[in-house]
Amino acid sequence: MGKIVAVTGNEAVAESLRQVNPDVCAAYPITPATDLMQRFSSFISDGKVDTEMVLVESEHSAMSACIGAAAAGGRVATATSSQGLALMWEMLFIAAGDRLPIIMPVVNRALSAPLNIHGDHSDTMGARDSGWIQLYSETAQEAYDNAIQAFRIGEHPDIRLPVMVCMDGFIVSHSIERVEYLEDSEVKNFVGEYRQVNPLLDIDHPKSYGPLILTDLYHEYKRAQHEVMTKVKNVVLEVASDFEKLSGRKYGLFETYRLEDAEIAIVILSSAAGTTKDVVDRYRDKGIKAGLLKPRMFRPFPYEDVAAALRHLKAIAVLDRADSFGGYGPLFSEICGAVMSMDTKPPMINRIYGLGGRDYMPDQAEKVFDELIGIAETGKVGAIKEYIGLRE
Amino acid sequence: MEKTIEIRWHGRGGQGTVTAAKVLADACLSGGRHVQAFPEYGPERAGAPLRAYNRVSDHIIRMYCPVLHPNVICIADATLIDGINVTEGARDDSIFVVNTSHDPKEIREKLNAKPGQKIFTVDATTIALECIGRALPNAPMLGAVSRATGIVSMDVLLENVEKSFGKKFSRKIIDGNLEATKRGYEEVKEG
C-alpha cells in the first residue's frame, strides 16, 4: 500500500500526473490556472518525470500543443481552470473530433464577468458538448483516483477520447485533506504503456488529422463520434473494477447514498455531495427517508442507469452549481432527460447554489429536503427553478 | 471527545496562521485519523484578518464548508478580539487559545466567555521573537493548542513542525520553531 498524506486536491492530482509520467504537457501558467501545474512543473525541473513541458503563450495554445503532441503519438496531459478552459474552447472540439486522448484535470472555477476565481461548475458545463468525457470528483482522493483512471479510459483503443477530471476550485483544489496514494509501480502498471493507433510520427504510414469534410460526410463523422461515446460507459466500469482491485476504492457511473429505500432525494455534483450526505443522515435520524445521487460521469451521461436509480422517488431536487441564464441548470436538464423514460415521473425542482464560491452550507440542503417533503406529500411543485443561499 | 473536532483559527495575513492549520492537519493524520485544513480565501493582504479551519475525525469527513460551531477557537492575534466577533458560533464548552501577554482571566472577561468555555493564553509573539527573532506566533500557538486540547501529542507535533519548516528554512530557523513550539506548550496558562 502507498502512503497516507494530508495534501490539497491540487497536490494530489499533480502527484497522480507524476506517477503516470506523461510524455508531453503544455501549459500556460497564469491565474486562474492553479498551482496544480506549478507543482507538476516542479517535478519536471527536479527530474522526477521525463515529461517534456511546453510553455506556451495562452491556454488556446496549450490545448493546440497538446493536440499536436497527442496526434504525434505521445501520452499527453495538461490542466486548466475557469477562463483558461474558456479560451481553450475552440481547440477542445478539435481534440475530441480528432480522437486524441488528452487527459486534463480541471479545477472548477467561475467565469467572468464579474471577475471571480472561486469554485463553481460554469467552466466545465460550458464545455459539456465538446466531445470530451467528463468525470466529477467529490474529494481530493476522488480527483486523484479519477485522474489515474482517466488515462485508462481515454486511451482505451475503443475510445480514444480526451477526458476532463473535474474538482471543485478552492473547496477541494486548495484545501488539505487525507489522501491515500498508490505506489508509483502500481500506477505505472495500472495505466500501462500507451500506443497511439495513428501516430503522425509513423512516417512510413502517413496520415492526416482534421481534414476538410464538407456536406458529404461531416454528418456521418459526428454520428460516429456519438457512437464512440456510447461505448464509454462499459470502459469506465471496467476500469473502475480494475481500480477497485488495486485500491479497494469503488467507483461507478454515479454514487448513491441511502437512495435505495429513499422517498425524496437530492441530485448534486462534487464536493457539495459530501455536505449533503451528512444532512441525509440527520434526516434519516428523524425518520425521513432522504437519499442522494451524485453523478461521477457527466459526459457521456448515463440516462438509463440514473433513471433506474431514481425511479422509486416521490420528489427529486437537482442542485446545480452552474447556470443557464434563461434556462434550467445543466444537471437538471440531464436528470429531466433521464426521468423522461419513466412511466410515472416524479415531481422535480431545480435549485441553483454556490455560484462563484458561495458556501454551500448544511442548512441549504435542509431547506431543500424540507421543500421536497412537502412536494412528496402534495405532488405540487411551486417554482421549478430557484436560487438558494442568496443573501437576504 | 466529540467524534469530529472542529477548529477555527483567527489571524492576520502574514502571521503564518494558515501554515499552522496545515501543520496541525499533518500532525493529526497520526493514528489513522481523517483531517481537513482550509483557509477562507479572499484578497490576500498582509495584516488583514483571516480565518482558517481544521476538522479532525476518526471517521471520514464529508462536510465541505466552513466550520460554524467550532470546538476550538485559536486567536493568533489578540487585537482581532476588538475588531471582529471571534466568539461567533462558539459552543458552550468551546476552548479558546489566545496569543496575548494578558492574563487568562482578563481575556475571559473581554470575551465575555461562558462558564463552560475554557480560556487558554500564551504569549506566543514574545516566545516567537525570542526563539525565531520574528513575530510569527504560529509555532508557539501550535504548542499551546496541543496542550489545551490534547488533539495531538507533542512528539508528533514536533516531528511535523520539523517536516513542514524543514522544506523551506535553515537549521537555525527550524530549531527556533521547535523551541518555540515546546515553549508554547509549557507556558500556556488556563484561567
Side-chain angles (χ1 to χ4, degrees):
Chain A
M1 202 178 86
K3 55 181 177 178
I4 293 171
V5 290
V7 290
T8 64
N10 277 342
E11 280 177 89
V13 174
E15 175 71 2
S16 74
L17 293 181
R18 183 191 66 73
Q19 294 179 309
V20 170
N21 193 5
D23 298 312
V24 178
C25 173
Y28 181 62
I30 193 171
T31 298
T34 67
D35 64 332
L36 197 167
M37 204 29 81
Q38 178 199 325
R39 286 175 185 279
F40 182 67
S41 58
S42 299
F43 292 137
I44 298 175
S45 310
D46 296 343
K48 300 214 170 128
V49 286
D50 312 311
T51 309
E52 178 160 346
M53 177 63 121
V54 189
L55 290 177
V56 289
E57 69 285 346
S58 78
E59 304 266 1
H60 185 278
S61 303
M63 186 45 61
S64 303
C66 286
I67 289 168
R75 172 176 266 166
V76 178
T78 183
T80 193
S81 188
S82 179
Q83 304 301 124
L85 182 65
L87 187 56
M88 281 180 183
W89 205 76
E90 179 185 24
M91 304 314 291
L92 295 176
F93 288 73
I94 295 173
D98 282 344
R99 302 280 301 274
L100 299 170
I102 297 159
I103 306 308
M104 182 161 69
V106 181
V107 175
N108 281 124
R109 284 172 149 181
L111 292 174
S112 278
L115 189 62
N116 178 303
I117 55 163
H118 284 266
D120 78 24
H121 303 148
S122 307
D123 48 7
T124 50
M125 285 302 167
R128 95 191 151 171
D129 299 336
S130 60
W132 286 57
I133 295 165
Q134 287 189 341
L135 303 175
Y136 284 79
S137 323
E138 176 183 327
T139 63
Q141 183 74 61
E142 289 191 10
Y144 170 84
D145 292 347
N146 281 336
I148 291 166
Q149 292 176 68
F151 284 90
R152 277 274 301 274
I153 297 164
E155 293 171 356
H156 191 286
D158 293 345
I159 305 300
R160 291 181 283 125
L161 284 175
V163 188
M164 286 181 205
V165 177
C166 309
M167 66 171 147
D168 282 348
F170 284 117
I171 304 163
V172 172
S173 68
H174 291 62
S175 299
I176 290 175
E177 60 185 77
R178 176 192 151 114
V179 177
E180 289 183 37
Y181 285 155
L182 297 167
E183 297 282 0
D184 287 0
S185 59
E186 291 175 324
V187 175
K188 195 177 168 194
N189 291 335
F190 184 80
V191 297
E193 285 275 316
Y194 170 56
R195 290 199 87 79
Q196 230 283 30
V197 191
N198 297 306
L200 277 180
L201 287 181
D202 179 6
I203 49 174
D204 295 331
H205 304 90
K207 312 167 177 80
S208 32
Y209 273 86
L212 180 70
I213 302 184
L214 295 177
T215 48
D216 50 352
L217 282 170
Y218 182 90
H219 196 56
E220 286 69 23
Y221 192 101
K222 289 292 144 182
R223 167 148 189 251
Q225 234 179 298
H226 176 75
E227 286 291 320
V228 178
M229 273 291 198
T230 62
K231 296 180 189 168
V232 171
K233 169 184 151 181
N234 286 340
V235 173
V236 166
L237 292 174
E238 184 189 306
V239 171
S241 162
D242 286 352
F243 191 80
E244 189 185 351
K245 282 175 209 145
L246 175 67
S247 68
R249 294 187 289 275
K250 194 175 171 60
Y251 288 90
L253 305 172
F254 51 84
E255 183 193 335
T256 59
Y257 186 72
R258 306 186 85 162
L259 189 68
E260 293 68 25
D261 65 337
E263 292 177 353
I264 55 173
I266 286 179
V267 180
I268 193 163
L269 288 167
S270 300
S271 67
T275 307
T276 309
K277 285 177 200 167
D278 274 14
V279 177
V280 166
D281 284 355
R282 287 184 206 166
Y283 275 65
R284 286 280 176 168
D285 290 347
K286 290 196 276 183
I288 295 156
K289 290 187 169 174
L292 169 141
L293 186 144
K294 176 190 78 178
R296 173 182 179 233
M297 185 178 82
F298 188 79
R299 274 293 177 274
F301 196 84
Y303 296 99
E304 293 85 1
D305 303 83
V306 167
L310 298 176
R311 193 173 299 280
H312 59 289
L313 292 164
K314 290 184 180 165
I316 302 169
V318 183
L319 270 59
D320 269 288
R321 201 165 208 153
D323 206 351
S324 176
F325 312 106
Y328 294 128
L331 182 57
F332 183 77
S333 299
E334 299 305 345
I335 301 301
C336 287
V339 164
M340 199 192 72
S341 65
M342 298 182 196
D343 295 332
T344 319
K345 299 174 184 55
M348 301 211 309
I349 53 170
N350 185 199
R351 296 292 173 261
I352 310 290
Y353 74 99
L355 298 182
R358 170 62 49 83
D359 287 320
Y360 174 73
M361 305 303 286
D363 70 312
Q364 294 173 24
E366 285 166 8
K367 279 181 195 147
V368 172
F369 275 130
D370 290 344
E371 193 180 352
L372 286 178
I373 293 167
I375 293 172
E377 273 168 15
T378 62
K380 285 193 183 118
V381 172
I384 293 178
K385 178 185 171 184
E386 268 181 352
Y387 295 75
I388 59 171
L390 290 169
R391 288 170 66 167
E392 301 296 334
Chain B
M1 274 235 203
E2 301 245 355
K3 65 176 184 180
T4 302
I5 306 290
E6 297 186 304
I7 302 174
R8 186 171 71 213
W9 294 82
H10 292 278
R12 292 187 183 276
Q15 289 179 330
T17 309
V18 177
T19 305
K22 286 178 183 175
V23 174
L24 188 64
D26 255 323
C28 288
L29 262 191
S30 62
R33 284 186 290 181
H34 292 262
V35 296
Q36 279 183 347
F38 55 102
E40 219 161 61
Y41 283 95
E44 286 155 42
R45 294 157 299 174
L50 63 79
R51 291 170 179 222
Y53 304 95
N54 282 121
R55 286 192 179 94
V56 180
S57 180
D58 293 335
H59 307 279
I60 191 160
I61 302 168
R62 300 184 300 206
M63 205 48 98
Y64 279 98
C65 59
V67 170
L68 287 179
H69 302 292
N71 305 90
V72 183
I73 297 170
C74 304
I75 302 162
D77 187 323
T79 62
L80 289 167
I81 296 173
D82 301 320
I84 56 175
N85 182 11
V86 294
T87 61
E88 186 188 351
R91 296 165 184 256
D92 289 343
D93 60 352
S94 287
I95 296 171
F96 289 80
V97 183
V98 185
N99 170 21
T100 176
S101 58
H102 291 267
D103 189 75
K105 287 197 174 55
E106 278 177 60
I107 298 296
R108 173 175 287 281
E109 223 164 86
K110 197 163 187 184
L111 290 173
N112 199 13
K114 293 176 187 162
Q117 294 176 333
K118 290 183 174 176
I119 309 291
F120 292 85
T121 61
V122 62
D123 193 356
T125 303
T126 301
I127 295 173
L129 284 170
E130 286 170 12
C131 297
I132 321 163
R134 287 180 65 192
L136 292 172
N138 53 2
M141 280 298 286
L142 280 167
V145 168
S146 159
R147 179 79 172 269
T149 64
I151 199 168
V152 64
S153 74
M154 263 312 266
D155 289 348
V156 174
L157 180 60
L158 289 173
E159 206 178 288
N160 281 280
V161 168
E162 164 116 30
K163 199 173 83 183
S164 170
F165 288 90
K167 286 177 198 159
K168 285 185 191 167
F169 300 107
S170 67
R171 190 69 243 170
K172 198 178 151 204
I173 299 285
I174 299 163
D175 287 342
N177 275 289
L178 290 172
E179 177 62 20
T181 308
K182 283 183 208 159
R183 280 189 54 189
Y185 182 88
E186 286 156 10
E187 294 175 26
V188 67
K189 286 183 278 190
E190 186 180 357

